[in-house]
Amino acid sequence: MKNPQPLCKRGLCLAALLAAAAGTALLGGCATSGAAAAVPESVRAAPADQKAALLERALAYWAAIREGDRATAWRYEEASQDPRWTLDAYLKRGGIVYNSVEVRDIRNITADTAVVEVFATYNIPMLRLQNQEAVMQDQWRLLAGGGGGQWFHAWQDSVAFQLGKP
């Protein structure tokens, strides 16, 4: 198994987050006796309802991406709240096929931004890359106003192609 390479700057343990947010015991797989001590202060200080809301949206977003349901994923994108973007424009920006996705944890959370660690295996058919692995530091933003105070997957320019927002 290859060592996954970080694509961005993010992370934490989903089980530790669930335990903190729901006040339940740690789930198997991430359970360690020092797990609570490893949780960054910014995550511990965030309200449990904000962490739970972020986790729920991150899980739903990545489930839609994994299933190839980009129309559903659009509802979780920050760009969906920007009138310069359209669903059609968003759907044209594909290229990566995700084989598996695991939302691991929340690395950092502030009043209006968060970083969620995601592990993924993926293919990039146009480049004939198969079974790639990555640990991504996935950016999220809490949007007021039109966003209704919900967490949205943050826009990020591609590292390879600096296309910018439309």
Side-chain angles (χ1 to χ4, degrees):
M1 180 183 202
K2 297 178 259 175
N3 286 335
Q5 297 297 314
L7 294 180
C8 308
K9 300 173 185 169
R10 305 166 212 173
L12 219 167
C13 179
L14 175 58
L17 174 64
L18 287 173
T24 59
L26 290 173
L27 300 175
C30 289
T32 64
S33 60
V39 177
E41 178 60 33
S42 63
V43 174
R44 283 192 304 249
D49 60 332
Q50 284 293 352
K51 292 186 277 190
L54 170 59
L55 182 59
E56 179 181 334
R57 289 185 62 84
L59 288 167
Y61 170 79
W62 281 106
I65 291 292
R66 183 188 66 245
E67 296 299 321
D69 186 357
R70 296 186 44 87
T72 295
W74 168 250
R75 291 184 267 162
Y76 298 92
E77 290 284 3
E78 176 186 23
S80 71
Q81 302 301 300
D82 185 336
R84 296 174 294 171
W85 271 96
T86 65
L87 174 59
D88 288 337
Y90 174 73
L91 293 175
K92 291 178 184 175
R93 297 180 69 89
I96 299 176
V97 177
Y98 289 91
N99 303 320
S100 67
V101 177
E102 176 187 345
V103 175
R104 290 189 169 169
D105 51 315
I106 296 175
R107 203 35 112 184
N108 188 13
I109 188 169
T110 66
D112 62 353
T113 62
V115 177
V116 176
E117 183 176 279
V118 178
F119 173 78
T121 59
Y122 62 94
N123 301 330
I124 305 176
M126 270 180 36
L127 301 177
R128 297 183 185 191
L129 293 174
Q130 301 291 315
N131 300 315
Q132 302 298 301
E133 295 179 343
V135 175
M136 299 176 282
Q137 302 304 313
D138 198 32
Q139 302 290 322
W140 287 76
R141 288 199 180 83
L142 183 62
L143 300 181
Q150 292 186 332
W151 288 100
F152 287 87
H153 187 250
W155 171 265
Q156 289 188 305
D157 283 329
S158 167
V159 174
F161 307 102
Q162 296 296 318
L163 300 176
K165 286 188 176 182

